[in-house]
Amino acid sequence: MYSSIIRPLFFNFDPEKIHYFVFDCLKFMGKIPVIKKIAYNSFGVIDKNLKQKVFGLEFDSPVGLAAGFDKNGILIDELASLGFSFIEIGTVTPKAQVGNPKKRLFRLPKDQALINRMGFNNMGVEKVVENLKKRNSKVIVGGNIGKNTHTAPEQYTKDYLTCFNALHPHVDYFVLNISCPNVGSHAKLTDKDYLLELITTIQKSNRSFETQKPILIKIAPDLNPHQLDEIIELVAQTKLDGVVACNTSISRSNLKTDKKTLDEIGNGGLSGKPVSDKSTEVIRYLHTHSKGAFPIIGVGGIHSAKDAQDKIDAGASLVQLYTGFVYQGPQLIRDIHKTIKI
């Protein structure tokens, strides 16, 4: 039904408007308990063998929702009812910001892909905390955090620290987003020495809390082997809890969408099927060359149960959906739960 009726209807309208329309629909349906129960029975976990412990947390299944879909922690309960075992909110910044000018979200149907240059649009960390306090579900929640677009380089760490300290009591793990291509200059966030400083500062703050939370970093899919080796060294040196691989790509190679359309769209991060293999190979490289030293959350181009299994086989402990969820609908969650082996 989703692929034959709902998706074709949605794809007649602006992607960002449809995104918020779906938000409103999920919020409305979430107020009706019987609908939430039907949704979970239709798409939720069906195999207790899918449960596993990763970076100290108990996951009902390896299937989660990537950051970017629910930036502000508004739909935690509703999304949990669709069967996600964990939901990553954000990217959250200290201050609210509107993000980049519209139009900033584009579909590439021929490639089953999206291009976005949203620019960390979010309500700001204080409002996100208020939203998280209202949730009832016990689903695992990750906090993906970043800097405000116009923050000066010397204040980057302060931005991350502000978000970390505010969200700490309300999320289960953290992801330091150091790889988004849509927030202006972020060259400093690719510098190993700076990342060492950032991670060390965040970890020091983490130790000041009675209960420490796992900390991961999210990397780009466009890194070369030398850069991936640096990530492995960084994780070992700082004892990070894991890596999210991967973020969106700046590459436009091997797309079916014509060049004229791509030129009209302009810059932004590419997600969906075209980054599937690249993401899987990054996961494989990290897992192999680190000898499985740290958990990996695999994300990028998961449009089928096989895509999810490929990432698990490559070394991912968990997987996240986003663009595949847009193109395939919630049935994708069920399909993965029915067939995946961990």
Side-chain angles (χ1 to χ4, degrees):
M1 180 178 176
Y2 181 85
S3 297
S4 61
I5 299 175
I6 297 176
R7 186 179 68 198
L9 178 62
F10 282 176
F11 277 28
N12 283 320
F13 299 92
D14 176 78
E16 189 168 353
K17 290 180 179 178
I18 284 297
H19 179 85
Y20 291 115
F21 173 75
V22 171
F23 247 59
D24 291 341
C25 290
L26 288 172
K27 198 69 179 175
F28 173 75
M29 290 187 292
K31 295 178 180 179
I32 307 173
V34 66
I35 292 182
K36 290 177 67 175
K37 185 174 182 179
I38 291 171
Y40 188 81
N41 289 339
S42 298
F43 308 117
V45 181
I46 58 175
D47 186 352
K48 292 182 179 180
N49 292 323
L50 293 179
K51 289 188 176 183
Q52 59 179 327
K53 191 172 186 178
V54 184
F55 40 79
L57 300 176
E58 298 282 353
F59 293 83
D60 287 337
S61 92
V63 185
L65 181 66
F69 191 90
D70 185 6
K71 295 174 182 290
N72 299 301
I74 294 172
L75 288 179
I76 300 297
D77 297 339
E78 293 79 6
L79 291 166
S81 70
L82 294 179
F84 290 111
S85 74
F86 64 108
I87 296 161
E88 195 170 304
I89 64 166
T91 297
V92 181
T93 58
K95 299 176 183 177
Q97 57 182 34
V98 297
N100 292 324
K102 300 177 182 180
K103 189 175 179 182
R104 55 192 182 180
L105 179 61
F106 308 87
R107 303 186 190 97
L108 278 58
K110 293 179 181 178
D111 294 289
Q112 296 188 57
L114 298 172
I115 291 176
N116 92 83
R117 51 172 178 269
M118 302 301 290
F120 287 2
N121 56 308
N122 74 106
M123 296 177 176
V125 70
E126 291 183 6
K127 181 61 179 177
V128 172
V129 166
E130 291 179 19
N131 294 337
L132 291 174
K133 287 179 179 179
K134 298 174 185 176
R135 71 184 181 100
N136 296 308
S137 170
K138 300 299 183 182
V139 69
I140 291 172
V141 175
N144 185 301
I145 60 176
K147 68 178 185 68
N148 280 112
T149 300
H150 299 296
T151 295
E154 61 271 18
Q155 298 296 319
Y156 284 3
T157 299
K158 182 179 179 181
D159 271 16
Y160 281 91
L161 198 58
T162 296
C163 292
F164 183 82
N165 289 334
L167 287 174
H168 197 282
H170 308 288
V171 301
D172 300 291
Y173 72 90
F174 282 91
V175 176
L176 308 181
N177 191 348
I178 60 169
S179 55
C180 179
N182 300 318
V183 289
S185 174
H186 64 289
K188 185 175 179 178
L189 296 178
T190 64
D191 180 79
K192 185 182 176 183
D193 289 337
Y194 171 68
L195 290 178
L196 181 60
E197 172 197 323
L198 171 64
I199 294 166
T200 301
T201 302
I202 295 295
Q203 288 175 322
K204 181 180 179 181
S205 180
N206 198 24
R207 291 191 292 271
S208 71
F209 289 90
E210 183 176 349
T211 301
Q212 283 76 58
K213 302 292 174 71
I215 302 169
L216 298 82
I217 56 171
K218 188 167 188 175
I219 65 172
D222 306 311
L223 302 182
N224 60 44
H226 172 70
Q227 291 170 314
L228 292 174
D229 288 338
E230 286 193 332
I231 292 296
I232 293 171
E233 293 170 6
L234 183 70
V235 173
Q237 187 174 356
T238 61
K239 294 181 172 55
L240 274 171
D241 295 283
V243 173
V244 181
C246 296
N247 214 321
T248 57
S249 173
I250 59 173
S251 172
R252 299 292 186 267
S253 61
N254 301 315
L255 294 179
K256 298 175 183 177
T257 303
D258 62 273
K259 185 178 183 302
K260 181 176 181 294
T261 299
L262 294 174
D263 288 343
E264 290 173 350
I265 290 172
N267 65 300
L270 175 72
S271 63
K273 287 294 288 183
V275 303
S276 182
D277 290 345
K278 183 183 291 189
S279 168
T280 301
E281 288 312 307
V282 168
I283 293 165
R284 194 184 315 279
Y285 190 98
L286 293 174
H287 180 72
T288 301
H289 287 256
S290 72
K291 296 181 172 57
F294 50 84
I296 300 169
I297 300 179
V299 55
I302 299 176
H303 287 238
S304 68
K306 181 182 182 303
D307 294 333
Q309 189 67 59
D310 287 346
K311 284 181 168 46
I312 297 291
D313 293 343
S317 301
L318 305 165
V319 296
Q320 290 178 327
L321 311 180
Y322 189 128
T323 304
F325 182 54
V326 172
Y327 275 86
Q328 309 301 329
Q331 184 60 39
L332 176 60
I333 308 167
R334 179 68 166 186
D335 291 344
I336 297 173
H337 282 154
K338 286 175 64 177
T339 62
I340 199 169
K341 304 296 181 185
I342 60 175

